[in-house]
Amino acid sequence: MHTPAVRHLATVAITALTLAALPAATAAAAPTSPSAPSAAAKAAGASSDAFYAYDGSEPLSSFTPGTVLKTRTLQYHVLGIPTPVKAVQLLFRTTDAQGRPSVGVTSVVRGVGSDGTKAVSYQSAYDSLSPGDAPSRAIAGNVSLGGVLPNAESLVLVPFLLQGYDVVVPDTEGQSADFAAGPEYGTTTLDSLRAVGNSPETGMNAETRFGLIGYSGGAIATQWAATMAPAYAPDINRRLVGYTEGGLLVDPAHNLKYVDGSVVWAGVIPMAIIGVSRSFGIDLKPYLSTYGLRVYGKLEHGSIVNALGQYPGLTWKKMAKPEYADPNSVPEFLQAVNRLNLGSAPTPTVPAFIAQGNGGVLEGTFSNLPGIGTGDGVMVAGDVRTLARQYCDTGNKSVKFQQYGAFSHVGAIVPWAPQALGWLNDRFAGRAAPSDCGRIPAGNSLAPEKPARAS
């Protein structure tokens, strides 16, 4: 890829970032047109691209994870506008949250002067329950309100490309948009890296070194990939130089209580209910109230754009039937959130830079419950501190930790992003990883949730 082409992408990305702010900010106030296609219809339309479906004659289970099933090269689009930059997209075999064979899609952009020896895997924060909002769809030219963030994130990729890194962008939520399904995010990310090494079109191979980076929803994928790599993908783990993330979901049960009744982030509650139901194949509808079922239906194929600020004051109690006012009284849900608790997952073996905001009041989350405390508006700061300390105590001393006390979830991206870039550059350069072990403040207990009786 030539430098002018990347600069053109940067220009278009900046434009996209500016344009993205308008629909994201006005989505809550904008009425839905009766003639507009439904979210379900949009999801169905977006899924009609034959590239996303495995149509081979051999059973999917006969392929090893990371096997490339389809390849295509296309122009990189931003808000539907084609740029001179080329992207290679791969359909590959992976594993879903229930351990079943599935397919994933990843996109690759070559860096300036790339020799295929180093790459950054960027996990997008697209947070959606619609497959049509995945980053590969945006890169291919699809335009959707829920896909605004992947378009805006193009700006983040430019500094890496200009420094010669190849950039890999997996659709971490899989083909059915399994929102917040951490283990599936992890397997998809790791198998994406296997796939790019198996494809001659990417210019990478079995020795390419990788760095992982992601924020918010992208942090979920980044952390679970680093956590699962030693056991699930040791071939990838040996080539990881490290990972960096910000705004991390650690213990979903804590997060649901933290955002309960908040101004902006309360809409995450129904998104989590839907995502958990879908990814683990469980039915939580019998536990929901009439109102809860109505919200469930509205958001079933929605994205974070459809949830932010649109359900101020929403609580679990409003979503659930009276007898299930305590979420721990729902056995299926309790089992699922405990499976998603990173505190019970293995310790990564590669260097980490973990950052977290703690100014959630700036985004309308004023909660400070015992055992949970404060956060950035949606992510719980005490949970992240404990996780970082736990890694230090269980064998990984190469953990850099930063808490931004005055920054909220959105605001903390500003100081974290340049620090993350510099930190990854140092890891690729072979410099010793810094450590904050012994200096990280105490946090919350990450013990599994205990069941409660329905009232």
Side-chain angles (χ1 to χ4, degrees):
M1 182 193 315
H2 299 297
T3 300
V6 181
R7 287 176 179 164
H8 182 76
L9 176 57
T11 302
V12 177
I14 291 169
T15 303
L17 190 61
T18 304
L19 293 175
L22 180 60
T26 59
T32 302
S33 168
S35 61
S38 67
K42 289 179 180 178
S47 301
S48 63
D49 187 336
F51 179 76
Y52 290 81
Y54 171 63
D55 50 16
S57 57
E58 296 293 324
L60 194 57
S61 59
S62 67
F63 299 102
T64 58
T67 299
V68 177
L69 305 172
K70 291 182 183 179
T71 305
R72 69 180 179 185
T73 300
L74 40 71
Q75 288 177 282
Y76 193 111
H77 292 70
V78 179
L79 285 181
I81 303 169
T83 75
V85 177
K86 297 293 184 181
V88 176
Q89 294 190 326
L90 309 174
L91 180 78
F92 59 92
R93 199 289 215 183
T94 187
T95 306
D96 70 10
Q98 299 179 59
R100 303 173 300 188
S102 60
V103 294
V105 171
T106 195
S107 305
V108 178
V109 182
R110 301 299 305 279
V112 175
S114 165
D115 60 5
T117 62
K118 60 180 186 178
V120 170
S121 182
Y122 179 79
Q123 286 64 249
S124 169
Y126 63 106
D127 295 346
S128 180
L129 291 160
S130 170
D133 296 333
S136 70
R137 306 275 187 171
I139 290 169
N142 186 56
V143 179
S144 67
L145 184 59
V148 160
L149 194 53
N151 278 289
E153 287 176 320
S154 298
L155 182 63
V156 181
L157 311 183
V158 175
F160 292 107
L161 295 170
L162 290 175
Q163 293 184 65
Y165 294 104
D166 293 327
V167 175
V168 183
V169 186
D171 291 358
T172 55
E173 295 185 8
Q175 295 300 287
S176 54
D178 293 339
F179 172 71
E184 183 170 335
Y185 283 27
T187 55
T188 302
T189 299
L190 293 168
D191 288 330
S192 158
L193 299 183
R194 284 171 160 161
V196 300
N198 292 332
S199 171
E201 286 84 351
T202 67
M204 287 176 269
N205 55 47
E207 298 303 318
T208 301
R209 294 183 302 154
F210 298 106
L212 306 176
I213 182 171
Y215 193 88
S216 190
I220 298 175
T222 298
Q223 183 61 65
W224 276 98
T227 294
M228 300 175 71
Y232 181 82
D235 52 317
I236 296 298
N237 192 64
R238 70 177 178 82
R239 292 186 279 144
L240 291 179
V241 301
Y243 69 97
T244 178
E245 64 201 10
L248 177 63
L249 172 68
V250 176
D251 183 343
H254 285 180
N255 289 76
L256 288 180
K257 294 172 184 176
Y258 173 58
V259 302
D260 207 54
S262 62
V263 177
V264 175
W265 289 100
V268 168
I269 296 171
M271 285 192 69
I273 293 172
I274 297 166
V276 165
S277 299
R278 183 182 298 174
S279 57
F280 290 115
I282 58 180
D283 185 9
L284 295 177
K285 290 182 179 179
Y287 303 100
L288 300 181
S289 64
T290 301
Y291 174 72
L293 289 170
R294 189 160 65 246
V295 174
Y296 189 110
K298 290 178 69 175
L299 284 177
E300 194 167 7
H301 300 286
S303 76
I304 197 71
V305 174
N306 304 112
L308 287 184
Q310 299 193 46
Y311 297 92
L314 180 66
T315 63
W316 171 276
K317 287 184 179 180
K318 292 179 182 177
M319 290 285 299
K321 291 178 178 177
E323 59 267 37
Y324 302 111
D326 186 339
N328 287 16
S329 67
V330 180
E332 298 92 334
F333 188 73
L334 182 70
Q335 182 181 26
V337 295
N338 279 339
R339 288 175 66 182
L340 296 176
N341 183 349
L342 278 163
S344 301
T347 296
T349 60
V350 298
F353 170 29
I354 303 171
Q356 177 62 43
N358 199 25
V361 293
L362 299 175
E363 293 181 14
T365 304
F366 304 99
S367 177
N368 190 3
L369 297 171
I372 297 176
T374 57
D376 64 8
V378 61
M379 305 305 185
V380 179
D383 289 359
V384 181
R385 293 196 302 270
T386 295
L387 189 71
R389 287 166 60 98
Q390 179 174 305
Y391 290 162
C392 291
D393 294 341
T394 52
N396 189 346
K397 301 297 184 181
S398 299
V399 176
K400 175 179 171 58
F401 175 79
Q402 178 75 54
Q403 180 168 296
Y404 307 115
F407 287 90
S408 63
H409 189 70
V410 174
I413 300 171
V414 176
W416 168 78
Q419 285 184 286
L421 174 61
W423 185 89
L424 274 178
N425 281 339
D426 286 345
R427 303 292 74 73
F428 278 102
R431 299 185 181 95
S435 174
D436 285 310
C437 293
R439 297 188 294 272
I440 304 171
N444 305 322
S445 169
L446 297 180
E449 293 290 305
K450 296 181 179 179
R453 290 185 179 182
S455 59

